[in-house]
Each structure stands twice: as C-alpha cells, then as structure tokens.
Amino acid sequence: DTEVTQTPKHLVMGMTNKKSLKCEQHMGHRAMYWYKQKAKKPPELMFVYSYEKLSINESVPSRFSPECPNSSLLNLHLHALQPEDSALYLCASSSPPQGIGYTFGSGTRLTVV
Amino acid sequence: DQQVKQNSPSLSVQEGRISILNCDYTNSMFDYFLWYKKYPAEGPTFLISISSIKDKNEDGRFTVFLNKSAKHLSLHIVPSQPGDSAVYFCAASAGNTPLVFGKGTRLSVIA
C-alpha cells in the first residue's frame, strides 16, 4: 500500500458545526502532516506529527485541533470555523528525514458556510 | 517572506517541445529540492528531486538543474506531452525541516 487516504473528499459545514477530517497511511511512515491550500497559493504547513507526537504547530488557531491516535492515523478536528477557513486540506506522510519523499493524500475540499 | 518563489504563474508549450519551469529560493540552508505535480482535485505527487551536492538529476523526460550560487533550480520536460498539463510546485527543505512550497506554475501543453 503506497497511498495516503483522506476522508471525506468534500465537506460543507456551518460555522457552529463540529466535524473531523481523517487521514490514513500504511506505509510505515512515522511523520505525518496537515497542509492547507487555498486557490492559487502554495500548500501551507499547519501541523507535523513525528512518532505520534506533535512536533510542529505553525501558530494555527485553536479551532483546528489535530490528533494522532496511532502511527497510521491522523485526524483534524474542526470547530467553530470561519468562511475564510474554506480550503483544500492536504494530509501527507514521510519517513524521516522529513524533507524527503512526502506522499500526499488527495485532500479534503472544505467549505464553511 | 516567501522562501521559495515560482515567478511564472503559467506556461504554455506546444506538444513535443521543451517545457522549462523555474524556481528561486532565498534560504541558503536549503539542501534538498523537489518538484511535485498536481492535477485538479488530487493531491500533489512527487516528480523528481535533487540534493544540494548535485547540479543535475535526470529521470526519463524530466531533468532538474540546480545552480546553488544563483539559488535557482529549473525543471526541464522533453518532449512535453498533453498529459503533462498540471500545476508544478517547487519545494525545498533544510535538514529535517518540513517542505516549503512555491506558489506553483500551471503548465499547459497544447497538442
């Protein structure tokens, strides 16, 4: 298995909703990432988990809450989002060192209404 | 401050000709560079990479050139094919740091 699987592919949520994005990989990678990408912009790093521990939080607002239950799973819990949070959310994984060989999922297209 | 810059938002090339995509960087600590290709509604897929100890890496139709003194790299695609039409992202890392991406260049290969 050489894939990173993200669910759901599309999500529409209201500003008072609570939802979660899920990411799964079975490549034995021990680093996992959340990126946010808006139209015509580069992917922007949000969080990095290394060996199931949060190692980087790029000053992301607390309405985004990451969770890494085990080495194969990465969740992003969403609560009280704003319309400007609408974007493509990409999950990636890699074997350390972190800069080499990222595998990305297809992303979740999130729309906040 | 953008550490990885792709100054051309788009590029159109005829099928069979060479596509050259450019990327500049500002962080002299970057030691590993990658190109990713992205189709609409899909995540980026790895294309080719180069370490800072090299100045060229070739893989089939794709060649990446690195000019460290100019802090510049380029991706050459020869010959270009319609299926190469996508957004190409340049990315870089320094040691074990996460990848930093450029804004991307949309390549259109015209049959």
Side-chain angles (χ1 to χ4, degrees):
Chain A
D1 187 353
T2 58
E3 289 188 349
V4 174
T5 303
Q6 287 188 246
T7 55
K9 291 196 181 304
H10 300 275
L11 177 63
V12 179
M13 62 185 290
M15 289 189 284
T16 58
N17 290 161
K18 283 186 182 181
K19 296 286 184 183
S20 296
L21 309 185
K22 296 186 185 302
C23 175
E24 189 169 0
Q25 58 88 13
H26 296 286
M27 294 176 281
H29 289 172
R30 302 308 297 271
M32 296 185 76
Y33 314 81
W34 280 115
Y35 280 83
K36 172 182 177 180
Q37 186 179 18
K38 298 192 74 109
K40 299 184 181 180
K41 299 278 190 180
E44 294 179 355
L45 184 67
M46 300 175 72
F47 302 104
V48 180
Y49 273 83
S50 183
Y51 295 94
E52 294 93 72
K53 287 187 168 41
L54 182 65
S55 61
I56 296 178
N57 176 342
E58 290 288 325
S59 303
V60 180
S62 59
R63 58 186 184 268
F64 295 91
S65 174
E67 178 198 19
C68 190
N70 59 56
S71 60
S72 299
L73 293 174
L74 184 66
N75 298 321
L76 186 63
H77 302 298
L78 314 172
H79 174 54
L81 295 194
Q82 304 296 311
E84 59 263 30
D85 296 321
S86 299
L88 179 68
Y89 288 83
L90 292 163
C91 174
S93 70
S94 71
S95 287
Q98 295 174 12
I100 298 174
Y102 282 27
T103 301
F104 280 88
S106 296
T108 294
R109 174 72 60 190
L110 173 68
T111 303
V112 181
V113 297
Chain B
D1 180 32
Q2 226 182 321
Q3 298 185 68
V4 178
K5 300 177 186 178
Q6 292 177 259
N7 292 322
S8 297
S10 62
L11 175 68
S12 286
V13 172
Q14 278 206 308
E15 182 179 6
R17 307 294 285 264
I18 184 171
S19 295
I20 300 176
L21 295 97
N22 293 305
C23 178
D24 297 292
Y25 62 95
T26 58
N27 187 344
S28 57
M29 299 299 291
F30 285 146
D31 58 3
Y32 201 77
F33 305 88
L34 306 90
W35 285 93
Y36 280 82
K37 177 178 178 180
K38 186 178 184 302
Y39 292 117
E42 294 184 13
T45 54
F46 171 74
L47 194 57
I48 193 169
S49 63
I50 188 166
S51 152
S52 60
I53 62 172
K54 294 188 172 182
D55 54 19
K56 178 181 173 182
N57 188 25
E58 192 171 351
D59 183 2
R61 296 185 298 114
F62 303 92
T63 303
V64 56
F65 295 92
L66 176 62
N67 182 335
K68 281 194 297 182
S69 60
K71 294 193 178 69
H72 176 83
L73 63 155
S74 61
L75 174 68
H76 292 210
I77 306 173
V78 180
S80 302
Q81 300 173 352
D84 296 329
S85 297
V87 177
Y88 289 78
F89 288 99
C90 173
S93 75
N96 288 340
T97 61
L99 290 178
V100 177
F101 287 85
K103 284 188 176 181
T105 296
R106 182 176 301 279
L107 174 66
S108 300
V109 180
I110 304 159

